[in-house]
Amino acid sequence: MAGFLDQDIKFLPGVGPKRAELLAKELKIKTFGDLIYYFPYKYIDRTRFYNISEIHAQMPYIQVKGKIRSMETVGAGRKQRLTARFYDSTGSIELIWFQSVKWQKENLVLNKEYTVFGKPSEFNGRINVVHPEMETEEDKQLKPSGLFQAYYVTSESMKKKYLHSKTINKFQLTLIHLAKGKIGETLPAPLIKRLKLVSLEEALTTIHKPESITDLKNARFRLKFEELFIIQLKILALKHNRENKFKGFRFEKVGFNFNRFYKDFLPFELTGAQKKVLKEIRRDVNRNIQMNRLLQGDVGSGKTLVALMTMLLAMDNGFQSCLMAPTEILAQQHFQSISNFMEGMNVEVGLLTGSTKAKVRKVLHEALESGKMQILIGTHALIEDVVNFKNLGLVVIDEQHRFGVAQRARLWQKNELIPPHVLVMTATPIPRTLAMTVYGDLDVSVIDELPPGRKPIETHHFFENRRKQVNNFLQQQLEKGRQIYIVYPLITESEKMDLKNLEEGFRHISEAFPHIKVGMVHGRLKPAEKEKAMQQFKQGETRIMVATTVIEVGVDVPNASVMVIESAERFGLSQLHQLRGRVGRGAEQSYCILMSSYKISSESSKRLSTMVRTNDGFEIAEVDMKLRGPGDLEGTQQSGMGFDLKIANLGKDGEILKMARSIASDILSVDPFLQKEENSLLLKNIQSTKQNEFDWSSIS
Ligand code: ADP
Ligand code: MG
């Protein structure tokens, strides 16, 4: 039994070495198993027949029965085409072939009954079908294709070599025929029974050749459940394993510094959400188990402050802390705001970045080794590689990009002693279902409340024709002393083109506001140049900043209250939201202006209207996920777990995911290392790793 699905795809009848190569190259299908797990993206109901009189060009596809009464070849050479008039008792349509004209002409038979299947279109007021599928009664006998025809994604170069969806379908039918009785079960029998799942073999057969809607639903449910369940099992096993293997420092007391800061230094009241989160953290760090917590909250929701108070907690218990930022600018910003908060308190805060001078660095290193310095802020790489702490008790990671589960797993594994507590902060709100996967090994805290008194950012969408009014508005804001960001998208793959586009924008702006100093940053600048441009803006020397998305994670400039996003239709929703988060940080009313061309897709239009409607990052994240669909979500690729989902959709299958997670959790709580006989299939399942995937076999 073992090994059937591991066979080389070239041995499947009808495939052969050439097509095998193509399948491997284009779809990464190398084995029988790869093929059978290559699922259709849609099905068409071939039980439905239409009358020709009902057909109109807007139908996605049609299926009619009738006969060809006449055929003719039109044109010559490469423009040659074959047209046929096809009749049923209610009317006629035209069938057209541009390719294999000669072959079609020789093989099509006049006045013979055919089933015609294809996409109708309209030309000169007449309905036609280009390159229809033609089936005779005999054809049908030869290859029963099921009542629902499955469709598969194929690439351009496959189509060029006549490897179409239909060919894949044929391979699948051959394969499921051969596979009968050879596909072993991968889930434990009690689970299958309890959830009334169909067997794996049945699911894999039905998914390619469904006989009814109900069968298809059951098959899809089984496959989706298994996909999500195995991921959750892996993630939770990792979490269990970590909690089991690593003890944690205990921060028992809430001490002097924490209390002093809270009572005498904190210039405002904590929000309810901040208090709630601090309680969650407190509970974590007080139990001898390493904390691994994700702190989610929109920009400006007060995460950094929560992180700081956690650092004070560490300090009061005799531990050092560090905060790792993704960029030098962000590290500096954190350093500044934390130093401000700590002014007057007896706390040593240090900053370590690429541009820290050797002399200063030496002093820093000593202060960290001796324990004199309690808080270090710096860039990821520096802290991870260079620094020796006396007793590091807490690491705060401020995330730019999502760190995958596997990356995090590696992070502290080399540490043989007790690892520090880890608090990951992310300003990218993500939907719950995605959090359960990408961050599924972490406990999650959410700050879902902004500090009081914030004026919500006003967002507007304008087309190009309002450019003049927009410029007038910018002029007014400049006169009020405000500063402005103008962001340009990455328009092409070519950096050169982007730069040209940006520079043109820069010129236009400089011309439109001749008395204002305009700055510019983009990814091509050297770090020092970028830094300088940012600093000039921060200090108000330049009043307008023309930029690419490099400012997305950039500096905090409270006086910048207007964000103009050019060609906004080209940005993703979460990116737009991130960009907007650059403003609204000061006391003034802030604005976000989305400029777009007239011609935008309905999806772009939905993105822009969502931005105009709401400032709520979580709502935006949900819409984003629904719009973008599965597989295309930031984070799933970066997760390093190779879970490009084949069938489940995190946007739509939230319920299945929750169930999968809860069942996985139940199983692991009884049998954390899957050592029981009844779970042996599961152990095997999670240990069979693919290339590029984290090696899960190392976890037990
Ligand atoms: P985040 O890290 O989530 O982007 P910060 O912690 O940087 O947010 O906070 C943003 C701003 O709001 C800072 O200037 C901070 O001092 C301020 N702030 C944080 N918490 C509160 C609060 N509870 N009330 C008023 N202002 C707050
Ligand atoms: Mg912040």
Side-chain angles (χ1 to χ4, degrees):
M1 253 172 41
F4 174 78
L5 289 179
D6 298 326
Q7 288 176 80
D8 193 322
I9 193 68
K10 73 178 174 217
F11 298 125
L12 186 74
V15 176
K18 279 234 172 81
R19 286 164 142 189
E21 212 172 287
L22 198 57
L23 287 170
K25 186 159 165 257
E26 296 296 313
L27 303 177
K28 298 199 174 72
I29 294 175
K30 294 178 184 148
T31 63
F32 285 14
D34 294 338
L35 180 67
I36 211 163
Y37 276 94
Y38 190 66
F39 299 138
Y41 70 94
K42 70 167 182 188
Y43 302 86
I44 284 177
D45 180 356
R46 298 287 298 255
T47 55
R48 173 91 156 95
F49 285 86
Y50 291 89
N51 288 324
I52 285 179
S53 62
E54 298 174 80
I55 292 170
H56 55 80
Q58 281 69 44
M59 292 171 149
Y61 66 91
I62 51 136
Q63 182 166 246
V64 289
K65 267 193 189 134
K67 291 171 182 170
I68 296 174
R69 296 259 181 85
S70 64
M71 277 192 278
E72 65 174 326
T73 321
V74 190
R78 288 182 57 212
K79 289 203 171 151
Q80 199 180 48
R81 65 179 194 270
L82 175 68
T83 65
R85 283 227 74 81
F86 186 81
Y87 288 79
D88 71 3
S89 59
T90 69
S92 77
I93 49 171
E94 194 168 56
L95 309 178
I96 305 177
W97 288 267
F98 297 99
Q99 281 163 13
S100 339
V101 167
K102 196 158 160 259
W103 189 90
Q104 293 291 356
K105 199 174 169 189
E106 279 164 12
N107 282 278
L108 289 169
V109 184
L110 292 181
N111 297 314
K112 181 181 176 101
E113 174 129 321
Y114 282 101
T115 296
V116 166
F117 179 80
K119 162 94 190 84
S121 51
E122 195 171 329
F123 187 72
N124 282 344
R126 292 199 304 199
I127 300 286
N128 63 40
V129 181
V130 178
H131 288 179
E133 281 177 31
M134 307 292 291
E135 238 173 26
T136 60
E137 276 310 306
E138 299 97 82
D139 290 337
K140 275 195 195 155
Q141 311 280 308
L142 280 174
K143 48 174 180 54
S145 59
L147 299 176
F148 295 86
Q149 181 146 351
Y151 280 77
Y152 301 85
V153 174
T154 55
S155 70
E156 276 313 306
S157 44
M158 290 170 69
K159 285 183 187 118
K160 267 192 206 130
K161 297 194 171 134
Y162 302 102
L163 215 168
H164 298 282
S165 166
K166 223 180 163 188
T167 328
I168 304 243
N169 196 23
K170 231 194 276 175
F171 294 162
Q172 298 287 14
L173 297 177
T174 307
L175 179 55
I176 56 182
H177 183 70
L178 287 176
K180 220 166 251 165
K182 299 203 179 85
I183 297 180
E185 190 45 72
T186 44
L187 295 176
L191 186 61
I192 292 192
K193 198 167 160 217
R194 200 174 114 210
L195 299 179
K196 300 195 177 70
L197 300 175
V198 298
S199 72
L200 181 61
E201 180 165 315
E202 187 179 336
L204 288 174
T205 303
T206 305
I207 201 81
H208 297 292
K209 190 179 176 248
E211 302 287 351
S212 76
I213 295 275
T214 314
D215 289 354
L216 181 58
K217 268 193 190 146
N218 291 337
R220 288 172 66 84
F221 182 80
R222 147 86 208 213
L223 295 169
K224 284 178 177 192
F225 172 80
E226 178 164 356
E227 186 169 52
L228 295 170
F229 175 66
I230 294 302
I231 290 172
Q232 289 303 320
L233 206 56
K234 286 179 176 180
I235 293 173
L236 292 172
L238 184 73
K239 184 165 186 264
H240 264 269
N241 184 62
R242 192 179 53 210
E243 291 180 351
N244 211 288
K245 200 142 117 196
F246 297 129
K247 291 259 159 293
F249 296 120
R250 187 145 181 222
F251 299 173
E252 215 165 348
K253 59 174 187 249
V254 179
F256 175 75
N257 288 292
F258 185 98
N259 283 324
R260 180 159 181 241
F261 177 70
Y262 188 61
K263 292 200 183 96
D264 302 338
F265 284 77
L266 191 61
F268 38 68
E269 182 71 10
L270 290 180
T271 63
Q274 284 171 317
K275 285 185 190 161
K276 176 195 73 185
V277 169
L278 269 170
K279 268 194 203 129
E280 287 165 349
I281 292 174
R282 242 300 274 142
R283 206 179 315 129
D284 280 1
V285 295
N286 192 21
R287 5 153 252 185
N288 282 327
I289 298 174
Q290 185 203 14
M291 168 172 79
N292 274 280
R293 185 166 282 279
L294 173 71
L295 178 51
Q296 270 199 86
D298 238 328
V299 270
S301 59
K303 295 183 296 296
T304 310
L305 185 66
V306 168
L308 173 60
M309 295 187 68
T310 310
M311 293 195 241
L312 293 177
L313 201 59
M315 181 179 163
D316 284 338
N317 287 274
F319 290 98
Q320 294 168 297
S321 305
C322 71
L323 192 167
M324 312 201 303
T327 65
E328 176 147 359
I329 293 176
L330 280 179
Q332 272 182 17
Q333 200 168 285
H334 280 307
F335 175 70
Q336 214 136 69
S337 65
I338 287 180
S339 299
N340 286 345
F341 275 126
M342 291 295 98
E343 216 177 290
M345 301 243 328
N346 196 11
V347 179
E348 272 296 308
V349 185
L351 173 68
L352 179 67
T353 71
S355 55
T356 306
K357 299 254 160 42
K359 247 195 201 159
V360 180
R361 197 173 288 203
K362 191 156 167 276
V363 177
L364 266 176
H365 282 171
E366 282 166 11
L368 290 164
E369 284 206 57
S370 73
K372 192 167 143 262
M373 176 166 286
Q374 293 101 348
I375 295 177
L376 176 69
I377 293 155
T379 38
H380 284 189
L382 276 172
I383 294 180
E384 265 177 78
D385 298 345
V386 198
V387 180
N388 287 318
F389 290 88
K390 179 166 182 241
N391 56 354
L392 183 64
L394 169 70
V395 175
V396 180
I397 305 174
D398 187 13
E399 272 194 347
Q400 177 175 19
H401 298 295
R402 286 170 198 151
F403 246 41
V405 176
Q407 277 165 295
R408 264 193 313 277
R410 277 184 218 112
L411 193 59
W412 304 110
Q413 245 167 18
K414 52 187 171 197
N415 200 333
E416 281 165 34
L417 305 167
I418 298 180
H421 295 297
V422 176
L423 183 66
V424 180
M425 301 196 287
T426 175
T428 320
I430 55 176
R432 260 180 63 71
T433 52
L434 189 58
M436 276 185 215
T437 36
V438 181
Y439 291 121
D441 63 323
L442 302 182
D443 299 304
V444 179
S445 287
V446 179
I447 303 189
D448 49 6
E449 180 186 357
L450 288 179
R454 292 277 168 82
K455 295 195 182 84
I457 302 165
E458 255 183 51
T459 302
H460 300 275
H461 170 209
F462 296 117
F463 295 114
E464 200 48 50
N465 64 336
R466 299 284 295 278
R467 175 69 64 184
K468 222 175 137 218
Q469 285 96 317
V470 169
N471 280 351
N472 288 343
F473 172 76
L474 298 183
Q475 183 64 47
Q476 281 171 21
Q477 291 294 309
L478 288 165
E479 279 163 16
K480 285 188 182 169
R482 301 290 105 73
Q483 286 170 277
I484 297 169
Y485 290 109
I486 302 180
V487 177
Y488 284 82
L490 295 174
I491 296 216
T492 61
E493 303 286 78
S494 133
E495 271 187 64
K496 255 195 187 145
M497 285 291 290
D498 292 334
L499 198 57
K500 197 167 150 254
N501 192 54
L502 186 75
E503 277 166 351
E504 221 161 82
F506 178 79
R507 234 193 22 252
H508 282 307
I509 295 296
S510 302
E511 279 164 16
F513 303 98
H515 305 298
I516 297 288
K517 238 184 124 181
V518 184
M520 175 161 69
V521 285
H522 52 80
R524 276 224 170 162
L525 294 179
K526 295 208 182 78
E529 295 171 317
K530 228 187 278 178
E531 183 72 30
K532 189 170 162 217
M534 284 300 211
Q535 288 300 347
Q536 282 178 334
F537 186 62
K538 197 166 180 176
Q539 268 135 39
E541 278 171 53
T542 48
R543 307 272 312 281
I544 300 179
M545 177 62 100
V546 174
T548 54
T549 49
V550 294
I551 63 144
E552 195 179 333
V553 287
V555 283
D556 193 359
V557 183
N559 191 46
S561 61
V562 184
M563 166 68 60
V564 180
I565 304 177
E566 297 288 341
S567 306
E569 73 273 22
R570 296 178 197 257
F571 289 89
L573 196 42
S574 65
Q575 207 178 14
L576 288 171
H577 182 63
Q578 285 290 305
L579 285 168
R580 178 167 61 183
R582 295 298 104 205
V583 297
R585 302 181 150 234
E588 307 303 330
Q589 175 63 53
S590 291
Y591 303 90
C592 174
I593 296 171
L594 307 169
M595 299 299 296
S596 85
S597 66
Y598 294 104
K599 277 185 75 178
I600 55 177
S601 67
S602 66
E603 213 188 289
S604 299
S605 164
K606 178 97 206 251
R607 286 199 295 267
L608 299 183
S609 65
T610 303
M611 285 291 292
V612 171
R613 187 187 72 238
T614 178
N615 278 310
D616 179 340
F618 283 94
E619 189 181 339
I620 286 172
E622 294 286 350
V623 175
D624 194 28
M625 185 153 92
K626 296 231 160 73
L627 283 177
R628 286 205 282 173
D632 194 24
L633 288 158
E634 222 184 306
T636 54
Q637 281 92 339
Q638 280 150 274
S639 69
M641 305 212 325
F643 65 72
D644 46 340
L645 296 173
K646 286 185 162 64
I647 187 160
N649 175 337
L650 294 178
K652 292 179 183 150
D653 299 322
E655 289 308 311
I656 305 179
L657 174 59
K658 270 185 239 164
M659 182 171 89
R661 185 170 170 95
S662 123
I663 292 172
S665 172
D666 290 349
I667 289 176
L668 288 169
S669 69
V670 178
D671 185 15
F673 299 104
L674 302 176
Q675 298 301 308
K676 291 195 173 173
E677 180 52 34
E678 69 198 58
N679 293 326
S680 62
L681 278 177
L682 295 178
L683 185 64
K684 219 168 98 192
N685 201 330
I686 71 168
Q687 286 186 336
S688 64
T689 49
K690 291 225 164 127
Q691 269 174 351
N692 306 328
E693 227 181 297
F694 181 65
D695 183 9
W696 297 96
S697 63
S698 71
I699 68 165
S700 56

